[in-house]
Amino acid sequence: MGVDAYKKTRVQRNVGRKVTSTNLYLKLLIKLYKFLARRTDSNFNATVLRRLQQTRTARYPISVSRLVKQINTAKDKTRTLVVVGTVTDDVRLLTVPKINVCALRFTETARKRIQAAGGKTLTFDQLAQQNPTGTGTILLRGPRVREELKHFGRASGLPGSHAKPYVSHTARKGKGAR
């Protein structure tokens, strides 16, 4: 970091995240998509690379029912759904249509249900071989639902704040501070 001589402010270096995972497959995928992002004019590869480098808590899971909902609204039903994260099963969904899904990992039941319906479950290296620029794919993310995120934002109690307050539940039933 340094001081900008022109605007007299601190200049922050924009350096990418160093992956601390010990997963060798993930590190190889990052190497592959770093190459593809550099050598192709596709924003898809750059986006996949950025999401591969996220922490595991930031790679939110997505359910099979959300994938089915997405493919039903798509014009072309043969497109491949790409998820940089985990695909989980949804027992509330009775029938799974034929869908092609590429994801970092699948739960066992999700993989079985997709393949039983005649769909394909691809890995990212298979996707890179079949479709290096990401054409004919739909890139998806899971919903950002974590309890911690509800507490973020402007302090609770202030005007315009929608943050959930941190409340001690030890005072319930009058058994608190004694």
Side-chain angles (χ1 to χ4, degrees):
M1 295 201 219
V3 175
D4 187 1
Y6 175 66
K7 291 191 176 178
K8 307 289 186 203
T9 57
R10 184 173 66 100
V11 179
Q12 197 168 2
R13 287 175 58 220
N14 194 8
V15 180
R17 181 181 173 274
K18 183 177 182 283
V19 177
T20 57
S21 173
T22 56
N23 186 348
L24 293 176
Y25 177 66
L26 182 66
K27 288 186 176 183
L28 285 171
L29 282 181
I30 289 170
K31 223 179 232 188
L32 170 66
Y33 275 91
K34 199 178 279 186
F35 173 80
L36 287 173
R38 191 177 70 243
R39 295 295 297 265
T40 61
D41 291 334
S42 160
N43 287 333
F44 172 81
N45 291 322
T47 307
V48 169
L49 172 66
R50 197 169 59 247
R51 291 187 189 175
L52 282 170
Q53 289 175 327
Q54 286 179 331
T55 59
R56 191 163 175 186
T57 51
R59 294 195 302 258
Y60 294 95
I62 191 167
S63 67
V64 173
S65 57
R66 275 185 186 259
L67 298 178
V68 170
K69 208 180 285 185
Q70 188 68 39
I71 204 72
N72 286 339
T73 58
K75 292 175 187 168
D76 185 13
K77 308 276 190 221
T78 60
R79 294 175 84 179
T80 303
L81 301 173
V82 180
V83 179
V84 185
T86 308
V87 174
T88 58
D89 189 23
D90 193 350
V91 292
R92 299 168 295 182
L93 185 69
L94 299 176
T95 56
V96 178
K98 182 181 176 183
I99 52 174
N100 298 332
V101 186
C102 172
L104 267 183
R105 56 181 67 85
F106 294 87
T107 59
E108 284 183 40
T109 50
R111 185 188 297 273
K112 283 179 187 172
R113 286 187 75 185
I114 292 168
Q115 289 175 345
K120 289 182 188 171
T121 54
L122 299 170
T123 57
F124 274 96
D125 50 324
Q126 290 171 333
L127 180 74
Q129 285 179 330
Q130 289 178 12
N131 200 343
T133 56
T135 52
T137 60
I138 303 172
L139 191 57
L140 300 172
R141 272 195 280 201
R144 289 188 63 193
V145 283
R146 277 173 56 215
E147 175 61 30
E148 301 87 76
L149 297 177
K150 294 178 182 177
H151 298 283
F152 291 179
R154 196 164 176 196
S156 59
L158 292 177
S161 168
H162 299 287
K164 185 178 180 180
Y166 291 103
V167 178
S168 170
H169 292 290
T170 55
R172 283 180 59 200
K173 299 181 184 172
K175 293 180 181 163
R178 277 194 188 162

